[in-house]
Amino acid sequence: MQLTDGQRLDWLRLIRTEGIGPRTFRGLINRFGSAAAALDALPDLSKRAGKRAAVPSKAEAEREMAAAARLGIRFLAMGEAAYPKALHATETAPPLIAVRGDPAALPRASVAIVGSRNASTAGLAFTERLARGLGEAGLVVVSGLARGIDARAHKATLATGTVAVLAGGQDRIYPENHAGLVEAIVGAGGAVVAEMPMGWVPRGRDFPRRNRIISGLSLGTVVVEAARRSGSLITARFALEQGREVFAVPGSPLDPRAEGTNDLIREGATLVGEVEHVLSVLAPLMAGIAPPADGLNDRPETSATPDYWDETDFDGSAGGIRPPLSEAADPVDADHELPNDRARLIACLSPTPIGTDELARSSGRPVRIVQTTLLELELDGRIERHRSGTVSLATRA
């Protein structure tokens, strides 16, 4: 299938209509045969459903198309050859994705790496090593452009291929200071993907929506450092519902950032301590790239998945449920500006020993300041020094 320009415009108008989400969109297309016919039927359907469908005008859709084109963005439609098959195989695949960069990165075998925004230095160092190794093995690394683990995974795989998935529009990068990273990804031949409209500023509930695209693009998802209520665990849940592999990096039981990953391992996720632990599981899948489910009727049943789209059930095909706010509201960002060097270093440390040079690089502070601050923390009993010259958070009572 290949849409004409007119059909693509109709698809954009339909998916931008209030009350239309992935499930409803698919149901309307199946029922009426085309987006144009569905748009014509919407006024009557909305009246019968007791809803008012605010359909964007053709001019509004054309303006969004023009704004996207100015940034070099293409809209790929589900079912087109360029649309990633792995994502197409998921029940809530976005009908249209806006892609900036090289779309050729999307069909390649991919693995997601996600984790804490407030990552430890040890977690960041392991992420870099893992991501680089997976990239060198031929996998594209997918993540969500967040601070911490996500950003380190992207940076480590610029040379081998990385895909960033946004929670907002392509022109509303979050966090804003990662605009340079977006440019680096695009410049290196990677891709940036968004389903939300141009100009859309991400809200809390948009992050779980983004997460199901991260997992959907990937053969498996690796979680590095995640607290029990971390958004990264939502990504892992989506991966399970989509029939994908889930991996987790273990951590100290004394570090709250490892509680979520340790729980995943206890629940059956593959423990990851080196690159080969991921490759050995994904190798049989990499040849085919796309997971087995590939048709509209073969998608996994995920009726318990919260409806992050407020879909109107025009024809009985929406089927979603509204999530409780506590589940939908993935915090926009858990990071805050750390007030001083002590707090900055404590945030980077964990019970896992790390070298001073690596700590300085991770914290962005000069080695001299790091050494002085570590001495203060040692005198306060907050850290432990080890014979190897490394330091860690104190674990003694």
Side-chain angles (χ1 to χ4, degrees):
M1 181 187 80
Q2 184 66 36
L3 297 185
T4 65
D5 290 344
Q7 289 172 328
R8 200 176 308 276
L9 198 66
D10 290 336
W11 275 49
L12 184 62
R13 292 180 64 201
L14 185 58
I15 194 57
R16 296 290 188 252
T17 299
E18 184 179 353
I20 304 294
R23 298 184 185 94
T24 306
F25 184 99
R26 190 168 71 248
L28 291 172
I29 294 293
N30 288 340
R31 179 176 177 181
F32 295 101
S34 71
L39 288 169
D40 289 340
L42 269 180
D44 182 58
L45 291 174
S46 301
K47 184 177 180 181
R48 286 189 293 178
K51 302 282 186 179
R52 178 180 176 273
V55 181
S57 68
K58 183 178 179 181
E60 289 172 322
E62 287 174 338
R63 283 196 293 271
E64 181 175 351
M65 287 280 197
R70 286 193 290 271
L71 288 177
I73 293 165
R74 294 176 55 188
F75 286 94
L76 302 182
M78 184 170 58
E80 290 186 317
Y83 192 97
K85 289 183 173 61
L87 182 59
H88 185 197
T90 65
E91 185 193 19
T92 57
L96 278 178
I97 53 174
V99 180
R100 185 180 177 196
D102 189 354
L106 299 178
R108 293 174 54 192
S110 302
V111 61
I113 299 180
V114 297
S116 174
R117 292 179 172 94
N118 183 30
S120 70
T121 299
L124 292 172
F126 182 80
T127 297
E128 182 171 339
R129 186 174 72 187
L130 179 68
R132 183 173 289 117
L134 293 172
E136 290 171 351
L139 286 159
V140 169
V141 168
V142 181
S143 199
L145 202 75
R147 294 183 177 97
I149 299 298
D150 290 26
R152 184 61 64 93
H154 288 307
K155 292 174 182 176
T157 52
L158 288 173
T160 54
T162 187
V163 173
V165 184
L166 305 180
Q170 285 275 10
D171 56 346
R172 291 293 183 267
I173 305 301
Y174 186 86
E176 291 182 2
N177 63 351
H178 280 181
L181 180 54
V182 166
E183 296 299 329
I185 291 170
V186 172
V192 180
V193 175
E195 71 169 326
M196 302 305 288
M198 297 290 289
W200 186 272
V201 177
R203 309 160 300 172
R205 70 184 304 181
D206 296 325
F207 289 85
R209 292 167 57 141
R210 172 206 64 182
N211 292 353
R212 111 275 188 193
I213 299 177
I214 293 173
S215 60
L217 285 168
S218 310
L219 297 174
T221 293
V222 183
V223 184
V224 185
E225 292 191 344
R228 284 206 169 99
R229 293 182 60 81
S230 168
S232 301
L233 300 185
I234 296 178
T235 312
R237 188 193 69 200
F238 278 129
L240 286 172
E241 292 175 347
Q242 293 162 349
R244 311 299 164 83
E245 300 292 335
V246 175
F247 306 85
V249 178
S252 168
L254 300 174
D255 188 348
R257 288 171 293 202
E259 290 178 348
T261 50
N262 290 344
D263 286 348
L264 285 176
I265 293 168
R266 189 165 57 250
E267 293 164 4
T270 300
L271 184 151
V272 176
E274 58 185 52
V275 174
E276 184 57 34
H277 293 163
V278 178
L279 292 179
S280 63
V281 175
L282 296 186
L285 304 175
M286 290 173 65
I289 296 181
D294 193 27
L296 289 178
N297 297 323
D298 296 326
R299 299 172 186 220
E301 292 295 330
T302 57
S303 57
T305 301
D307 176 17
Y308 295 110
W309 298 271
D310 290 335
E311 293 184 271
T312 299
D313 195 359
F314 293 116
D315 61 354
S317 64
I321 58 172
R322 289 289 301 276
L325 289 177
S326 60
E327 185 173 18
D330 187 18
V332 170
D333 204 323
D335 287 339
H336 301 282
E337 290 300 318
L338 297 172
N340 53 47
D341 293 322
R342 288 168 61 96
R344 188 187 297 261
L345 291 187
I346 288 173
C348 291
L349 286 166
S350 74
T352 303
I354 194 75
T356 303
D357 290 343
E358 180 67 25
L359 189 57
R361 184 164 74 96
S362 176
S363 65
R365 307 299 294 147
V367 173
R368 176 179 56 83
I369 297 296
V370 170
Q371 290 174 336
T372 301
T373 307
L374 287 176
L375 177 59
E376 295 174 1
L377 292 171
E378 184 179 15
L379 292 174
D380 289 345
R382 301 295 301 278
I383 67 167
E384 294 180 356
R385 292 189 184 271
H386 305 273
R387 290 182 180 179
S388 59
T390 57
V391 295
S392 67
L393 286 179
T395 58
R396 295 189 295 265

